Amino acid sequence: MFGFMKKKPASVPSYLMFITDGDTDQTDQRTAEALLKEMASSNIYIQLIGVGRGARFTFLKDMADKYDHVGFVTFPDLDRVTDDQMYEQLLSEEACEWMKTR
């Protein structure tokens, strides 16, 4: 389905961040979930990052719950989070544990 996935998986674990406002429709969600499912056998941890107030992140939360290689964090207002707070959330215990098992 996705051409870049035909390459040999990386031997070193990778960390991929995807930033979104959470605004998705059914087609976007089906496509995104197909990609996440396909990448489950790869050596890539995917950090979904929701940004903004009032955004709807239900789909992103569901994907993080469904797939071990997917995490989710939200930052309602980037101006109100320190670098340390951001790094702590992005490099969560879950993400670090996933990396250790690879």
Side-chain angles (χ1 to χ4, degrees):
M1 174 187 256
F2 300 96
F4 72 91
M5 292 302 298
K6 293 180 182 178
K7 295 180 180 179
K8 183 180 173 185
S11 60
V12 175
S14 300
Y15 182 86
L16 173 71
M17 293 185 285
F18 181 79
I19 303 170
T20 180
D21 64 2
D23 187 20
T24 59
D25 62 23
Q26 292 296 321
T27 301
D28 291 340
Q29 291 177 7
R30 283 191 301 273
T31 302
E33 184 164 9
L35 178 58
L36 293 173
K37 184 177 180 179
E38 187 173 342
M39 293 178 76
S41 62
S42 70
N43 214 10
I44 302 171
Y45 185 85
I46 302 164
Q47 183 68 62
L48 302 174
I49 305 166
V51 176
R53 294 187 184 276
R56 300 174 62 136
F57 299 121
T58 304
F59 171 73
L60 301 177
K61 291 176 190 175
D62 290 347
M63 294 299 97
D65 290 341
K66 188 172 184 176
Y67 297 101
D68 291 340
H69 70 291
V70 178
F72 172 72
V73 297
T74 183
F75 298 106
D77 186 347
L78 291 175
D79 291 332
R80 295 182 180 261
V81 63
T82 67
D83 289 349
D84 288 342
Q85 291 169 328
M86 185 177 294
Y87 289 130
E88 185 175 326
Q89 287 189 50
L90 292 175
L91 298 174
S92 66
E93 185 175 327
E94 176 185 313
C96 293
E97 286 301 315
W98 185 91
M99 294 282 183
K100 288 178 188 177
T101 64
R102 301 297 173 226

